[in-house]
Each structure stands twice: as structure tokens, then as C-alpha cells.
Amino acid sequence: MASLTIAEVNKLDSEEFLEVFGNVVENCKLAAAAVWSHRPFRGVDHLNQTIAEFLDALPQKGKEGVLRCHPDLAGRLAQAGQLTAESTQEQRSAGLDSLSQDELSTLTHLNQQYKVKFGFPFVICARLNKKDAILSGLTERVKHSAEEETLAGVEEVKKICRLRVADIVTSEAKL
Amino acid sequence: MASLTIAEVNKLDSEEFLEVFGNVVENCKLAAAAVWSHRPFRGVDHLNQTIAEFLDALPQKGKEGVLRCHPDLAGRLAQAGQLTAESTQEQRSAGLDSLSQDELSTLTHLNQQYKVKFGFPFVICARLNKKDAILSGLTERVKHSAEEETLAGVEEVKKICRLRVADIVTSEAKL
């Protein structure tokens, strides 16, 4: 992945910006498209904060929609090799591509239970959680209310986004 | 394109719904993802109205973002053959794939002027306008204010969306 400085990011036109940041929120190009006009960004934190504010400002159905744009963990798309490049790498880093038959069966069952209850998939930052933490997180979170889970899901989306942005933009500390 | 009845639409799970309706708003899967939980839809009009309400409820930057997810008419992506299937067909139906060198040059110049002024591309429903109407519309609309053009652009997005939905869902009148 190309490493850009924030000064370089601030020079991108909207088409270029969408090509680079179009999937920092999974399958949700609109998030990048909406924040482009906030340039110039003062740094990576400012860019992340602007995306977070866009997500927070969405109406409830919009937040649920953001979650619905995410694939199931170790789900149909993963098994068919049809995840986005980012998701493929993230799910692998959590060990979700090498589950035992029992683990996969438990995850699939809990995912299904979660989706039926809330109407959107379970979203968790796979790069910050290994498979055991994901399974126990899912077991716990399926007990929550829909309101709690919309908020919890969007917070995970922000974590995923921050790590994807960090793959693209050189932070000041690294210069 | 598969033709579905509204009863069939109402039976789609969220992944299937996104596969079918994910691009009725160009490059903006979130619109379809957000409205899925409004099922059951009473008919095509209800589905269209729900998408329109989602667009109207977006904050200003979100509306601009929706416009920014649209390609330039007869622009770089069109010339590189990289438009979405829907946009390719729509731009062709308006005659934008067979512009004279002069027409292309005028359109490119006006598009650029529009984007520099507003920070988002000129969006017009190409299936309801031939190339002459598009050129004269662009000449006129570039004189407007950013607020007027955000609203005008989103109204065009709704028209494009209604025609894309009509390609997918059998309306009651056709039954």
C-alpha cells in the first residue's frame, strides 16, 4: 500500500481521494466522499476524527446501513474468496481463515443469531482481536440491545478505519 | 437484469438486497444498506420514497459525498471503460459515447469549471436528457450557488435511482 504524507493527501482531487480512501470504511465509499471537502487535514488524527464525525452524524438507519455493508466474519463471502482485500487480510490476521470445524460452526451459529436479532452483522476490529476474543465478544454482545450494538458496531468500524488509514498515511511519528 | 416482484424483494436478506440494489445510488451501497430494514415495502414507490428520505436526511457533507461518488459525464472513467455497468448504459443512451471532438471538449471544460466551483461533479439523469440538454443544463447550472446545486444534484440522483429500481422491480402496472 502506498504511503502518503498528509501534505500529499491534501493535494488529492476527489477522484484520487476516493481511489485511495474509498474502502477505509468497508464498502462505504460515501464516508470518504463526504470528508474530502474537509481538507486540508492537519494530520492523520484530524482525518480520522472527520470520518468518525461523519459516522456519528448519520441517522440511526444510516448507522445500521454502515454495519450492513460489512461481511460476516468467516462467512459466505470469506469462504468464496470474495472479501475486499482489506477484509481478507484482517480476517486472516485474527486467525479466522484457519478455524477448526467446531470453531467455524460455533461462529456461524452465533453470527446468524446476532443477525436475526439485530438485522445487521456482528462487526469487530479483527486486527485488534484474535479468534478467541472474537468468539467470546460475539457470545457477550448478542445479549445486548439493538441500540447498544449499533453504537458498539460503529465504534468498531472507527477502529478498523483508523488502522486502514494508518496503512495509507505516514503518521508524523514515523517521519 | 432480473425482474422481481415487490413480494420477492421483501424476502431478500440483507446480503441479497445489497447485491441487487447496491448500485441504485451510484457507488453508494450505504443507501441500499440503510433502507433494507424498512421492509416490507408496500410497492416500488415506497421503496423509492424510502431511498429519497435517506438521501434527504444526510447532512450537507453527506449529500455532497453522494454527488462525489458519481463519475464525470464522458470523463476519464468513461473513456477508460471503467464506469459501472449502469453508468455505461445511461451515458450511452444520452449519446455521450459518440460526441464530436468539439462537444467533448466543451463538456470537459464545463465539467471542470463546475467541479472547481462546487467541489463535486455535475450530476444529471442521462436517461432523461440527451447530450444537447445535458450541455445546456450544465451551462446553466454552473451559474448557481453550491446550496442550489447540492439540492439539484440530489434530485437528479433520485431520478437515476428510480429508473434503476424500475429496471429491477416489476411495477404493479406491469403485472
Side-chain angles (χ1 to χ4, degrees):
Chain A
M1 182 80 66
S3 203
L4 300 173
T5 65
I6 200 72
E8 288 167 333
V9 170
N10 286 329
K11 283 185 199 145
L12 299 177
D13 70 25
S14 60
E15 278 189 16
E16 293 164 340
F17 190 86
L18 283 185
E19 276 169 27
V20 175
F21 294 100
N23 208 49
V24 293
V25 177
E26 177 77 8
N27 281 320
C28 186
K29 203 173 273 192
L30 178 57
V35 304
W36 175 79
S37 52
H38 286 273
R39 294 161 316 129
F41 299 106
R42 294 186 299 274
V44 177
D45 287 349
H46 183 209
L47 171 56
N48 284 323
Q49 183 195 330
T50 311
I51 298 172
E53 284 168 2
F54 168 78
L55 294 171
D56 289 337
L58 286 172
Q60 173 69 17
K61 297 280 184 195
K63 291 193 178 83
E64 292 173 16
V66 168
L67 300 176
R68 245 172 246 132
C69 287
H70 286 69
D72 290 343
L73 293 169
R76 189 172 60 80
L77 292 175
Q79 284 165 38
Q82 291 174 349
L83 292 177
T84 61
E86 293 89 338
S87 277
T88 303
Q89 200 176 1
E90 290 161 2
Q91 296 205 19
R92 186 180 298 141
S93 82
L96 294 178
D97 62 336
S98 55
L99 296 175
S100 70
Q101 199 54 47
D102 270 4
E103 289 168 331
L104 180 59
S105 156
T106 305
L107 184 59
T108 305
H109 173 73
L110 284 169
N111 256 335
Q112 188 56 24
Q113 206 183 336
Y114 186 99
K115 273 171 89 169
V116 167
K117 177 168 178 184
F118 299 120
F120 48 79
F122 175 70
V123 175
I124 190 165
C125 178
R127 280 162 81 176
L128 295 177
N129 292 276
K130 296 290 172 201
K131 61 182 181 182
D132 292 342
I134 290 174
L135 278 166
S136 62
L138 183 45
T139 308
E140 202 49 44
R141 281 176 49 189
V142 75
K143 300 173 190 160
H144 294 174
S145 72
E147 291 69 25
E148 285 173 318
E149 277 308 296
T150 310
L151 293 178
V154 168
E155 290 308 311
E156 295 297 319
V157 170
K158 293 178 190 170
K159 290 179 202 168
I160 297 167
C161 176
R162 279 199 291 270
L163 290 170
R164 291 185 180 184
V165 167
D167 285 339
I168 301 171
V169 187
T170 313
S171 78
E172 287 73 6
K174 288 186 204 157
L175 287 177
Chain B
M1 182 82 65
S3 203
L4 299 173
T5 65
I6 200 72
E8 286 167 334
V9 169
N10 286 330
K11 282 185 201 146
L12 299 176
D13 69 26
S14 60
E15 279 189 16
E16 293 164 339
F17 190 85
L18 282 184
E19 276 168 29
V20 175
F21 294 100
N23 207 50
V24 292
V25 177
E26 177 77 8
N27 282 319
C28 185
K29 205 174 270 191
L30 178 57
V35 305
W36 176 78
S37 53
H38 285 274
R39 294 161 316 127
F41 298 107
R42 294 185 299 275
V44 176
D45 288 349
H46 184 210
L47 171 56
N48 284 322
Q49 183 195 331
T50 310
I51 297 171
E53 284 168 2
F54 169 76
L55 295 171
D56 289 336
L58 286 172
Q60 172 69 17
K61 297 281 185 197
K63 290 191 178 84
E64 292 173 14
V66 168
L67 300 177
R68 246 173 243 130
C69 287
H70 286 70
D72 290 343
L73 292 169
R76 189 173 60 80
L77 291 176
Q79 283 165 38
Q82 290 174 350
L83 293 176
T84 61
E86 293 89 338
S87 278
T88 303
Q89 200 178 0
E90 289 160 1
Q91 296 204 18
R92 187 180 298 143
S93 82
L96 294 176
D97 63 335
S98 55
L99 296 175
S100 71
Q101 199 54 48
D102 273 4
E103 288 168 332
L104 180 59
S105 157
T106 306
L107 184 60
T108 305
H109 173 73
L110 285 169
N111 256 335
Q112 188 55 24
Q113 208 183 333
Y114 185 99
K115 271 171 89 168
V116 168
K117 176 167 178 183
F118 299 120
F120 48 80
F122 175 70
V123 175
I124 190 167
C125 178
R127 280 162 82 176
L128 295 178
N129 293 276
K130 296 291 172 199
K131 61 182 182 182
D132 293 341
I134 290 173
L135 278 165
S136 62
L138 184 44
T139 308
E140 203 50 42
R141 280 177 48 188
V142 76
K143 301 174 191 160
H144 293 174
S145 72
E147 291 68 25
E148 285 173 317
E149 277 309 297
T150 310
L151 292 178
V154 169
E155 290 308 310
E156 294 298 319
V157 171
K158 293 178 191 171
K159 290 179 202 168
I160 297 167
C161 175
R162 279 198 291 270
L163 289 170
R164 291 185 180 183
V165 167
D167 285 339
I168 301 170
V169 187
T170 313
S171 78
E172 287 72 9
K174 288 187 205 156
L175 288 176

